[in-house]
Amino acid sequence: MYIIMLGAPGTGKGTIGNEICEKYNLTHLATGDIFRDEIKRETPLGKKANEYISKGELVPDEVTIAMVEGKLNEMKDVLLDGFPRTIAQAEALKEYLNKNNKNITAVINLNVPDEDIIKRTSSRVICSNKECGASYNTIFMPPKVEGICDKCGSPLIKRKDDNPETIKERLNVYYKNTQPLIDYYEKEGLLESIDINIYLENTKEVTTEKAIKIIDGRLN
Ligand code: ADP
Ligand code: ZN
């Protein structure tokens, strides 16, 4: 089973993706998390990726596609979070899945208004433990203990690219490169959109419930 999480930066792809992975026992493949880990370990891939990520730009397609295909080879049921982000990546994924006799169950598109994205992303903190990958928000979704991950107890950190200037650039990049994927997957009959109200107290639960209903509907 393959699920794709689509949506602008800071719409909750990772948070909702985590819940979906737990429910259906999927491997969470988050390209941003992988790049951040490579950057931290100062690998050649990390150094290359950092040139783009620090500016809010996309890592080049050929680098990203090769990296993702390498990972997919070792995985069975997968939730893709942050990939594909361009039409070229979507085409490469399609070819890969065809070759391996696999298909996409659903593309879950998360909709959040831009002004809410900027608000939410500026106050985001993430778990420093890469095996965990949990994400919190000091205003909207605080951890039980300040600065500490509820799930694994590791310290929470701020992402370098979660500052207002870089977020604006990431939104521009999203509209230019990634938004066309909404039409692309609509035409494939795979698109399922969820509108999110970030001011609800139980936004995460409500959104997760909707996503699960969608996936269950497509599995039957
Ligand atoms: P968000 O969705 O909040 O922007 P991610 O962690 O998914 O965060 O991505 C962070 C950054 O990593 C992106 O701004 C981009 O530079 C890079 N990146 C992640 N996934 C891809 C991808 N599929 N193609 C190109 N660049 C990517
Ligand atoms: Zn954690």
Side-chain angles (χ1 to χ4, degrees):
M1 162 166 165
Y2 269 71
I3 302 286
I4 295 178
M5 299 304 290
L6 204 60
T11 48
K13 300 183 296 288
T15 302
I16 306 303
N18 260 334
E19 300 295 313
I20 297 174
C21 284
E22 257 174 49
K23 164 92 183 168
Y24 298 98
N25 205 9
L26 311 178
T27 307
H28 195 159
L29 183 68
T31 42
D33 287 354
I34 297 170
F35 286 139
R36 278 185 288 280
D37 178 54
E38 299 276 344
I39 291 171
K40 199 164 106 193
R41 292 190 288 117
E42 297 180 357
T43 64
L45 173 61
K47 282 179 191 156
K48 173 119 203 137
N50 194 39
E51 291 171 29
Y52 300 91
I53 294 182
S54 60
K55 290 187 269 182
E57 293 168 9
L58 293 182
V59 178
D61 281 335
E62 60 276 16
V63 176
T64 306
I65 291 167
M67 190 271 284
V68 169
E69 288 193 354
K71 303 266 176 194
L72 288 182
N73 283 329
E74 301 157 16
M75 299 174 174
K76 189 167 168 277
D77 295 312
V78 186
L79 177 133
L80 288 167
D81 164 5
F83 183 94
R85 247 179 166 93
T86 64
I87 296 280
Q89 291 179 14
E91 290 287 343
L93 177 65
K94 190 173 172 178
E95 205 173 295
Y96 175 88
L97 295 177
N98 282 343
K99 235 190 265 163
N100 291 278
N101 266 323
K102 293 183 173 173
N103 45 49
I104 298 167
T105 302
V107 175
I108 313 249
N109 176 42
L110 303 181
N111 282 327
V112 177
D114 277 5
E115 58 270 30
D116 292 348
I117 287 177
I118 293 170
K119 243 180 242 162
R120 187 150 87 167
T121 316
S122 309
S123 46
R124 165 159 70 183
V125 283
I126 61 168
C127 181
S128 55
N129 167 12
K130 71 158 181 152
E131 305 301 331
C132 173
S135 175
Y136 300 86
N137 191 292
T138 53
I139 300 170
F140 299 102
M141 204 171 60
K144 293 197 182 87
V145 180
E146 196 186 321
I148 301 292
C149 178
D150 290 353
K151 285 197 182 151
C152 76
S154 303
L156 300 176
I157 52 171
K158 203 167 159 51
R159 272 172 52 175
K160 283 201 189 77
D161 60 349
D162 277 348
N163 63 76
E165 291 75 47
T166 316
I167 294 164
K168 281 192 188 128
E169 180 53 24
R170 280 156 58 203
L171 276 173
N172 289 337
V173 167
Y174 166 78
Y175 281 114
K176 185 162 170 275
N177 299 288
T178 310
Q179 209 192 28
L181 291 177
I182 294 179
D183 268 359
Y184 179 93
Y185 284 120
E186 174 82 69
K187 286 195 185 111
E188 303 252 311
L190 292 169
L191 190 79
E192 299 274 7
S193 290
I194 302 177
D195 290 326
I196 299 179
N197 174 356
I198 68 163
Y199 301 101
L200 294 178
E201 214 179 297
N202 54 350
T203 307
K204 175 174 147 185
E205 288 74 18
V206 171
T207 310
T208 303
E209 218 169 277
K210 288 182 183 169
I212 286 174
K213 238 192 207 146
I214 289 169
I215 296 168
D216 282 346
R218 286 188 170 257
L219 288 175
N220 293 321

